[in-house]
Structure formats: structure tokens, C-alpha cells
Amino acid sequence: MALMRSVLYIPGSKARALDKAASLPCDAIIFDLEDAVAPGEKVAARDLLAQMLSEVDYGPRLRLVRVNGAGTEWGAADVAAFADHPGVDGILLPKVNGPADLDLPGEKPLWAMMETPLAMLNAGAIAAHPRLAGLVMGTNDLLKDLGARFRPDRAGLATGLGLCLLAARAHGKLAVDGVYNAFKDLAGLEAECIQGRDLGFDGKTLIHPDQLEVANRIFAPSEAEVDLARRQIAAFEEAATRGEGVAVLDGKIVENLHIVTARATLDKARAIAGMT
Ligand SMILES: CC(C)(COP(=O)(O)OP(=O)(O)OC[C@H]1O[C@@H](n2cnc3c(N)ncnc32)[C@H](O)[C@@H]1OP(=O)(O)O)[C@@H](O)C(=O)NCCC(=O)NCCSC(=O)C[C@H](O)C(=O)O
Ligand SMILES: [Mg+2]
């Protein structure tokens, strides 16, 4: 099972952070060449990143490179540098507007930043692209393009978040929530992680190592959820021995669909345990 609870952005220009990431408890890393890297550092960052990804062992962490957009002077060379790089698991494309933006050379899985109004309207077609592995919300750019304002309840983002989740799930793809900018405000991050988890996201993109613990905890099944999943499966199997298709547990019905969720919960808990 692909764990994506915590997905940490690291500027491709920062050698110290690139090195440090190999020991950080994140499920995935986005090595960023786009917004986190100043124009004057783009070429040097690409070279540094290519070298680090050849030399550093990032263990089980999924390694994604966010390249510059196709319309920039760096985009094509970024794709060429990483399309076949053995240290890279996937390419993350910024400001994707539609499925044609995913027609790239190479065979690596592609990830799409969902951060423009057009991407929201084309979310289904983007998620259906055969090379697309997952969607990553770019909530800063989306707020900017919508002319909306940040609010703790993320009302301005609700439609976009919902459309992208629907698209991802309709096509069996992963969906990762956007970043929480105030990286010292861990209580605010926790509230936003809970919201994203309850909407259905697989995890959260992060910008600072201090945010990892919150995302790893909130996007993992709790002990109570694991216990409930075990008891639901036991109750359902026991009902099945009596020829019944529905069990009752804690005053609530348990049907086959709940068992699918219960098994997924246990699979996720096992995958997390296997990481440590
Ligand atoms: C936000 C930061 C600029 C803060 O940097 P800094 O003040 O240097 O942090 P600290 O001094 O607290 O750092 C402590 C140590 O941790 C390492 N560190 C910091 N950040 C990272 C990181 N992201 N990954 C790995 N390691 C990190 C420092 O090197 C220190 O290490 P040491 O010296 O050994 O103690 C900074 O955190 C940062 O640059 N974050 C990433 C910003 C980024 O990537 N932004 C782009 C992605 S978000 C985006 O683009 C939005 C999206 O597209 C949208 O539209 O929404
Ligand atoms: Mg963005």
C-alpha cells in the first residue's frame, strides 16, 4: 500500500535540507524546482538535485520531482533531466490545466498539481490520464486565481477540493491535500489535516519538518479505529456463519461495504507498522 500521509516539499536548491530529508519520517518527498527556487538558482538547483538523487539513499520514501512549467525556460530541461533518472519515482507537473499537459516523454508515473480554475473544471479528464498516479492540491495558487481569501474553514477552496477528490476516486488515483503556510502553527495545521482527512485525502503536503508528526498522526488510523475494524470483521464473519449478511456491533449495522473500509484500515495500520 502506498502511504502518503506526509509529503514534504524540499527546495531543490538547499543541499543541507536535501541531505537531511533522508532521515526525516515522511512518506514522500517533493523535490521542488518550481516555486521554492529563485530564477537565478534554477539551473544550479537542477544539477544539484540530479546529483543528490544519484548519491543519497532516501529509503522507502516516494521521490517526486516538481519541475518548472512547460511554458517556462526551464521546464523542458527539467523533464529531460529527470524523466529517466533512476533516483526518481515520479514527476510532478505544476499548473496542469488539462490532460494534454501530461503528454510527456518517458514512462515514469506523473503527478499533477491541481491549482488552476481550469484544472478544477478538467479534473476528471486529468485523473483519467493513464500515466497519472495522483493529484496534489496547490491551494495557494488556487486561492490566488480564484480571488478567494484564506479562511480556517477553507470555504473558498471547498468546491475545488471536492472536485479533485471526486476525480481521483473515480479513477482510482491518490489525492494529497495542499500545504499549511503558517508552519509554526501546529494547532492550525492539525485542524486542517483533520479536515482534509475527513474529506477523504490520503495525506497532506508539508513545508517544514516540524509539521511531519501532525500529518503522520492524523492520517494514520487511530488505535480506536483499528480496534473497531477488527471487531467489525469478527462480528461480520460470525454473522456469516449463521448465514446472515448483516451484523450489529455497538448498536450499528455492519455490512460488506463496512468490511471493505475495515480491511483498508488494517492494511494501512500494517503498512505504517512496517515502516518503523
Ligand atoms: C519555510 C522555510 C523557509 C523555513 O526555513 P528555515 O527558517 O531555515 O527553517 P528552520 O531553521 O526551522 O529549519 C530547521 C531545520 O530543518 C531543515 N529544513 C527546513 N525546511 C526543510 C524542508 N522543507 N525539508 C527538509 N529540511 C528542512 C533546515 O535545513 C534546518 O536543518 P538543520 O540546519 O540541519 O537544523 C523552509 O522550511 C522551506 O524552505 N520550506 C519549503 C518551502 C517550499 O518548498 N515551498 C514550495 C512548496 S509549497 C508551494 O509551492 C505551494 C503550492 O504550489 C500551492 O500553490 O499551494
Ligand atoms: Mg503552486
Side-chain angles (χ1 to χ4, degrees):
M1 146 170 292
L3 288 172
M4 294 295 279
R5 294 166 301 162
S6 50
V7 181
L8 180 64
Y9 280 100
I10 304 181
S13 52
K14 292 192 177 172
R16 191 174 171 85
L18 292 172
D19 205 32
K20 190 183 179 82
S23 61
L24 292 173
C26 52
D27 290 340
I29 300 171
I30 296 173
F31 299 99
D32 191 22
L33 295 173
E34 199 219 15
D35 283 349
V37 178
E41 292 186 306
K42 296 275 191 194
V43 174
R46 182 196 303 141
D47 293 345
L48 172 69
L49 186 55
Q51 184 193 338
M52 297 290 278
L53 285 167
S54 296
E55 292 174 359
V56 179
D57 179 4
Y58 288 99
R61 299 162 191 81
L62 189 79
R63 301 155 301 177
L64 305 178
V65 173
R66 184 167 77 169
V67 296
N68 287 288
T72 69
E73 63 185 275
W74 310 283
D78 288 350
V79 172
F82 297 102
D84 298 315
H85 194 299
V88 175
D89 299 307
I91 306 286
L92 172 61
L93 296 162
K95 301 179 180 71
V96 168
N97 282 317
D101 294 341
L102 301 173
D103 292 335
L104 283 193
E107 293 183 359
K108 283 201 194 293
L110 300 177
W111 292 69
M113 288 298 304
M114 300 298 281
E115 51 188 353
T116 69
L118 258 181
M120 301 304 113
L121 298 178
N122 292 327
I126 294 168
H129 194 285
R131 275 183 70 189
L132 197 279
L135 304 177
V136 178
M137 298 308 305
T139 43
N140 282 291
D141 271 303
L142 190 54
L143 277 177
K144 171 178 76 63
D145 284 6
L146 291 174
R149 293 188 182 188
F150 172 80
R151 292 165 38 130
D153 66 0
R154 297 201 290 174
L157 294 166
T159 302
L161 294 171
L163 283 170
C164 291
L165 260 169
L166 285 168
R169 297 308 180 225
H171 296 286
K173 309 294 169 74
L174 292 161
V176 185
D177 201 355
V179 296
Y180 188 72
N181 295 348
F183 62 93
K184 294 190 176 163
D185 172 15
L186 296 185
L189 171 68
E190 180 157 341
E192 207 172 277
C193 284
I194 290 170
Q195 186 197 40
R197 177 200 66 191
D198 292 353
L199 286 172
F201 283 99
D202 295 292
K204 188 132 183 97
T205 45
L206 307 168
I207 52 174
H208 192 281
D210 287 354
Q211 297 183 310
L212 294 171
E213 186 278 331
V214 172
N216 282 339
R217 175 166 47 83
I218 298 299
F219 284 96
S222 66
E223 279 182 30
E225 286 167 332
V226 169
D227 177 62
L228 176 64
R230 287 202 182 107
R231 293 191 299 118
Q232 284 178 319
I233 292 167
F236 190 76
E237 287 176 351
E238 202 267 328
T241 64
R242 298 193 304 272
E244 291 169 14
V246 179
V248 176
L249 180 72
D250 301 342
K252 295 177 192 152
I253 58 165
V254 180
E255 298 177 334
N256 197 39
L257 66 101
H258 301 114
I259 298 308
V260 172
T261 304
R263 291 198 195 288
T265 298
L266 296 186
D267 285 348
K268 192 169 185 183
R270 269 192 290 271
I272 292 167
M275 287 192 80
T276 50

